[in-house]
């Protein structure tokens, strides 16, 4: 309450007084980890862009032995892992803004989240029905009051929110989408209707996304309990920043040990699936717990390995550049998806096997890993990062590097 009152009577500082984090003041481990995460998220999201939500969630819809293997590997070791990392890093970013020695004024942070809500809404309607920015903004508002708590407390609260989210998911199943939310249907033949939309006029696509948006925001985020999950991961990210994990401040042996623990947790579900059929209530519960915990185990393992590699000398400048322009990269991924798979571009919806989509991923990764460093060699921010910061601070930010 005191912080809010103080922010309300304090004049808004200029960008020179309280500006965005630049250059050497950034944590390299966060940038590299964010860069890897945003690129790996595309590896999963491209399935929905290219073939519909049912192919995103149902592995058996992909035909062929190679596709089955790719679907298995993605489902167990990628899906959920990197969006968890991405979400935790968003929480860590809030903590960097609010809990440092000279914190950014609360009103600046709230304005930043407000503009992210606007960007997310535009992305949700005009580019892709699976936007995560608006979820981050709304959960971010809820996370702000926790930012100055200690690392152990944040980790404890984040864990408690995750337990609550799991119980909520198990108790209140998410309702099936209505016909107006066909873009979120997991029915085996839903992609046939989605194809008509994606290969039809732009107006049909926008109408379909508007219909899907109410389901996405109400039935998934609000009533579906996703906000509990998202907030919990953000608090965990804050805690991991404050205890030194995300900043590379732990011992190498600690990262190695945490990676092994994460691998063990992440591998529990695929191994358990071989031994348990889910035929009994207890087996079903066990598999559900393993699946839910698996995303955290995988996220922990991947994070520990990547951070340890950076601390050991892996420069990963291209991934760091992708991380510094993650907002732009994320939105451009949706633009690329439309250009490839919708009537706005090549119209290739439903034409790719999962194996072929992996080759597309290679090309998209190569583009971003080349383009991001080249851009940042001349400019301080990515294009959308610059726009976001300029709107947040209420004045145009300097874009070109002076050196």
């Amino acid at each position: 309450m005191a912080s809010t009152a103080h922010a309300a009577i304090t004049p808004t500082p200029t960008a020179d007084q309280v500006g965005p984090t630049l250059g050497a003041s950034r944590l390299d481990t966060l940038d590299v980890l964010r860069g890897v995460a945003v690129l790996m998220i595309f590896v999963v999201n491209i399935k929905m862009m290219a073939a519909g939500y049912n192919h995103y969630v149902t592995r058996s819809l992909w035909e062929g032995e190679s596709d089955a293997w790719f679907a298995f590997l993605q489902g167990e070791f990628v899906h959920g892992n990197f969006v968890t990392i991405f979400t935790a890093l968003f929480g860590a970013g809030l903590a960097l803004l609010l809990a440092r020695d000279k914190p950014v004024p609360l009103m600046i942070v709230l304005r930043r989240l407000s503009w992210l809500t606007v960007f997310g809404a535009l992305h949700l309607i005009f580019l892709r029905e699976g936007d995560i920015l608006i979820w981050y903004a709304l959960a971010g508002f809820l996370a702000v009051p926790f930012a100055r708590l200690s690392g152990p407390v944040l980790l404890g609260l984040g864990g408690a929110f995750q337990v609550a989210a799991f119980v909520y998911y198990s108790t209140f199943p998410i309702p099936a989408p209505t016909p107006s939310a066909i873009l979120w249907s997991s029915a085996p033949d839903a992609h046939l209707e989605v194809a008509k939309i994606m290969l039809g006029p732009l107006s049909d696509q926008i109408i379909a996304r508007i219909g899907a948006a109410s389901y996405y925001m109400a039935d998934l985020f609000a009533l579906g309990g996703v906000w509990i999950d998202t907030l919990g991961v953000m608090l965990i990210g804050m805690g991991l920043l404050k205890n030194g994990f995300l900043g590379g401040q732990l011992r190498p042996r600690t990262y190695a040990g945490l990676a092994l623990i994460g691998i063990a947790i992440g591998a529990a579900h695929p191994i358990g699936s071989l031994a348990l059929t889910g035929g009994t209530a207890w087996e079903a519960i066990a598999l559900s717990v393993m699946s839910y915990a698996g995303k955290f185990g995988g996220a922990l393992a991947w994070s520990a390995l990547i951070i340890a590699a950076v601390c050991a000398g892996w420069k990963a400048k291209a991934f760091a550049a992708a991380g510094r322009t993650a907002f732009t990269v994320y939105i451009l991924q949706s633009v690329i998806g439309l250009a490839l798979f919708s009537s706005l571009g090549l119209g290739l919806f439903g034409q790719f096997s999962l194996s072929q989509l992996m080759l597309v991923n290679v090309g998209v990764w190569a583009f971003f890993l080349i383009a991001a460093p080249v851009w940042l060699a001349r400019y301080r921010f990515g294009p959308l990062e610059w726009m976001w910061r300029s709107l947040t601070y209420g004045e145009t930010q300097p874009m070109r590097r002076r050196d």
Side-chain angles (χ1 to χ4, degrees):
M1 182 65 71
S3 297
T4 304
H6 176 74
I9 62 175
T10 302
T12 301
T14 66
D16 290 334
Q17 292 170 314
V18 181
T21 307
L22 295 173
S25 61
R26 299 181 65 103
L27 294 174
D28 288 342
T29 51
L30 295 185
D31 288 332
V32 173
L33 194 55
R34 188 182 296 106
V36 174
V38 74
L39 292 174
M40 289 299 285
I41 286 172
F42 184 68
V43 172
V44 176
N45 285 347
I46 195 175
K47 294 186 295 185
M48 187 171 177
M49 297 176 187
Y53 180 69
N54 58 351
H55 283 73
Y56 177 83
V57 294
T58 307
R59 301 177 195 174
S60 59
L61 292 179
W62 296 100
E63 301 177 356
E65 185 175 349
S66 60
D67 277 15
W69 273 107
F70 277 120
F72 170 77
L73 293 173
Q74 277 194 19
E76 297 296 343
F77 304 112
V78 179
H79 191 102
N81 294 181
F82 287 94
V83 73
T84 298
I85 294 173
F86 206 51
T87 307
L89 290 172
F90 189 88
L94 286 175
L96 278 174
L97 293 174
L98 291 164
R100 59 195 189 189
D101 292 339
K102 294 182 179 180
V104 171
L106 179 60
M107 291 307 297
I108 291 289
V109 176
L110 296 181
R111 192 186 300 167
R112 176 181 173 88
L113 293 172
S114 298
W115 279 113
L116 187 63
T117 305
V118 174
F119 281 117
L122 294 173
H123 182 231
L124 185 67
I125 299 302
F126 292 102
L127 292 179
R128 198 167 71 82
E129 62 278 4
D131 171 77
I132 201 150
L133 302 178
I134 195 168
W135 282 5
Y136 282 3
L138 296 176
F141 283 116
L142 300 176
V144 163
F146 299 94
R148 297 188 68 84
L149 296 177
S150 68
V153 171
L154 286 165
L155 291 174
L157 286 173
F161 272 104
Q162 286 307 314
V163 173
F166 177 77
V167 173
Y168 191 95
Y169 289 149
S170 303
T171 306
F172 304 102
I174 296 173
T178 61
S180 63
I182 184 64
L183 296 179
W184 286 104
S185 175
S186 59
D189 59 350
H191 61 285
L192 300 178
E193 290 300 316
V194 175
K196 295 177 183 178
I197 295 170
M198 296 307 298
L199 299 178
L202 175 61
S203 58
D204 287 355
Q205 297 175 32
I206 293 175
I207 291 171
R209 291 195 190 98
I210 292 173
S214 60
Y215 174 79
Y216 186 70
M217 295 306 302
D219 293 332
L220 290 181
F221 184 74
L223 300 178
V226 172
W227 70 270
I228 307 173
D229 185 355
T230 305
L231 175 58
V233 177
M234 287 184 181
L235 297 185
I236 290 172
M238 291 179 177
L240 291 175
L241 177 74
K242 293 190 177 187
N243 76 1
F245 174 83
L246 290 176
Q249 297 165 285
L250 306 183
R251 296 179 178 179
R253 69 176 67 178
T254 302
Y255 284 109
L258 290 172
L260 290 174
I261 292 172
I263 290 171
I265 296 172
H269 182 258
I271 294 174
S273 298
L274 298 176
L276 304 175
T277 63
T280 67
W282 286 109
E283 286 185 350
I285 292 172
L287 287 173
S288 182
V289 171
M290 291 177 191
S291 176
Y292 193 77
K295 69 177 183 179
F296 293 100
L300 176 62
W302 283 112
S303 298
L305 291 171
I306 292 168
I307 293 170
V310 174
C311 293
W314 182 39
K315 299 301 181 184
K317 292 182 179 179
F319 285 102
R324 293 187 185 112
T325 57
F327 183 17
T328 298
V329 169
Y330 177 73
I331 296 297
L332 280 180
Q333 288 173 353
S334 297
V335 173
I336 290 172
L338 286 177
L340 289 175
F341 308 117
S342 80
S343 61
L344 303 180
L346 299 178
L348 297 175
F349 187 92
Q351 301 300 311
F352 283 80
S353 67
L354 187 55
S355 304
Q356 291 169 334
L357 288 179
M358 293 306 98
L359 295 177
V360 175
N361 272 301
V362 172
V364 172
W365 272 48
F367 168 73
F368 284 122
L369 291 175
I370 293 170
V374 170
W375 179 272
L376 289 180
R378 295 188 175 185
Y379 303 102
R380 295 186 176 195
F381 314 108
L384 289 179
E385 283 78 6
W386 172 81
M387 183 182 298
W388 187 18
R389 283 160 169 78
S390 296
L391 291 169
T392 296
Y393 288 96
E395 61 182 19
T396 303
Q397 298 288 295
M399 185 64 158
R400 283 189 172 273
R401 292 188 178 275
R402 295 176 182 175
D403 54 338

